[in-house]
Amino acid sequence: MDQCLTLDQHIERYAHADPLRAAVGAAVRAIAAASIDIAELIAHGDLAGRLGRACGRNADGDVQKALDLEADALVRKALASVPVALLLSEESPVPESIDGRGLIAVAVDPLDGSSNIDANMCVGTIFSILPMTADPALAFLQPGSGQLAAGFVIYGPQTSLVLTLGDGVRIFTRDPRDRTFKLARSGVRIPSRSHEFAINASNQRHWDPPIRAYIEDCLAGADGEAAANMRWIGSLVADAYRILSRGGIFLYPADGRKGYADGRLRLLYEAHPMAFIVEQAGGGATTGAARILDVAARDPHQRVPLIMGSIENVRTVERLHLDTLILAERNAPLFATRGFFRI
Ligand code: AFP
């Protein structure tokens, strides 16, 4: 591994003289630079004022915390000098035009996990980079497989950038000595099988049968497997980083609660980038019924069920969804009265 290869050096090697790659590299460098300012703001905690205080609601009704808005402003300021044609932020209702000559479209969750801020837990910035389309209205309607790059920054004991440019997954860690991101891990691979699952178990009564069956098997130690272990940090970037480090499966499924028919997580700036990274590391990412990277958005802030991680575990969940579908078709009258997955 290139010891001490910096993010800038890695991007220079990737971009060469290719204008599209140069635009992608410039966007990654800008978000990385903004993340250093975000990390320093977070490190102040309450000394910087209540970063976790509610300041309003975004277009989708989610509570906006002070740090959500600060992070959004820092990312926007950093991208203002980059050839980005369109920017979609979780904090804005619709995509915004930045540079009419831009070659890329960027979707970003400036601060994911904001409910953890006051608890001094890991939070992060997640981004997805797509090629700009001739018709701007189509830019964010592309399937996830069209991404040119994806990454996330985790603000934890280390500030680390997890990045894929379509050539595997690398982790760059911020060197406290000089504010640069240096290559810490390359060729990241997710173990194909794991006994560790991450799900918010308090929602169990709302789950559809395939998810309930899978978690019951995990807890029962089905097939003589070692009993499973559970983690739920409530911060997508932290659960994702752990899975990249030692394997596991993360599940935020659709459930029966009002507003959760498509789960909680957003397709364009959470599920798509995470799925690109996880697949590039040898894992899988599915809605249960479809590969996440095959899903195209209908609207910018669309939610989607997200099940991702060790490939064998993800395939097991997919089989359970398929079995339920087959069962449902055989027993149509039963499901017709009770709803497809609600029994
Ligand atoms: P917040 O940004 O509102 O904290 O949501 C974080 C998140 O989108 C994702 O990072 C977590 O995995 C998930 O929500 C946690 O959701 P629950 O609070 O329903 O467990």
Side-chain angles (χ1 to χ4, degrees), residues 111-116 200 232 234-236 250 252 264-265 270:
L111 207 289
D112 175 72
S114 55
S115 58
N116 293 302
N200 183 334
W232 185 251
S235 177
L236 174 60
F250 171 97
Y252 209 116
R264 174 189 175 94
L265 302 175
E270 289 174 325

Side-chain angles (χ1 to χ4, degrees), residues 16-244:
H16 291 311
D18 178 318
L20 182 60
R21 284 186 166 211
V24 170
V28 171
R29 291 173 68 172
I31 293 170
S35 76
I36 289 176
D37 293 332
I38 294 168
E40 291 184 353
L41 180 59
I42 291 170
H44 284 82
D46 286 350
L47 299 180
R50 286 281 323 285
L51 296 174
R53 74 184 183 283
C55 296
R57 290 184 179 275
N58 64 21
D60 227 30
D62 296 337
V63 172
Q64 287 177 310
K65 307 288 177 48
L67 187 56
D68 284 320
L69 299 177
E70 296 263 10
D72 184 55
L74 286 166
V75 169
R76 286 168 182 287
K77 181 180 169 195
L79 288 174
S81 55
V82 173
V84 174
L86 280 180
L87 173 64
L88 170 67
S89 166
E90 179 178 36
E91 305 312 329
S92 298
V94 294
E96 297 157 80
S97 177
I98 305 288
D99 175 347
R101 296 157 303 148
L103 302 176
I104 55 177
V106 176
V108 64
D109 182 356
L111 207 289
D112 175 72
S114 55
S115 58
N116 293 302
I117 296 166
D118 283 340
N120 194 16
M121 300 275 286
C122 293
V123 293
T125 297
I126 311 171
F127 62 91
S128 166
I129 301 177
L130 291 154
M132 187 54 188
T133 49
D135 178 352
L138 303 179
F140 291 112
L141 304 185
Q142 303 176 70
S145 53
Q147 292 175 93
L148 299 167
F152 66 88
V153 181
I154 180 168
Y155 308 107
Q158 308 99 44
T159 294
S160 289
L161 166 65
V162 178
L163 178 68
T164 185
L165 297 167
D167 58 348
V169 176
R170 293 174 178 82
I171 299 177
F172 295 85
T173 296
R174 175 181 174 253
D175 184 336
R177 293 166 299 182
D178 60 10
R179 279 177 60 107
T180 60
F181 279 101
K182 292 190 172 74
L183 184 63
R185 292 186 212 168
S186 58
V188 175
R189 301 298 289 175
I190 298 173
S192 61
R193 187 171 186 75
S194 171
H195 295 300
E196 192 160 67
F197 66 96
I199 194 166
N200 183 334
S202 68
N203 299 322
Q204 183 184 24
R205 65 189 181 284
H206 303 295
W207 295 337
D208 289 333
I211 302 297
R212 219 181 295 158
Y214 180 74
I215 299 301
E216 283 165 4
D217 282 352
C218 287
L219 296 173
D223 308 328
E225 292 178 8
N229 188 35
M230 184 185 138
R231 287 282 184 276
W232 185 251
I233 301 175
S235 177
L236 174 60
V237 294
D239 285 315
Y241 194 91
R242 185 192 58 255
I243 287 169
L244 288 163

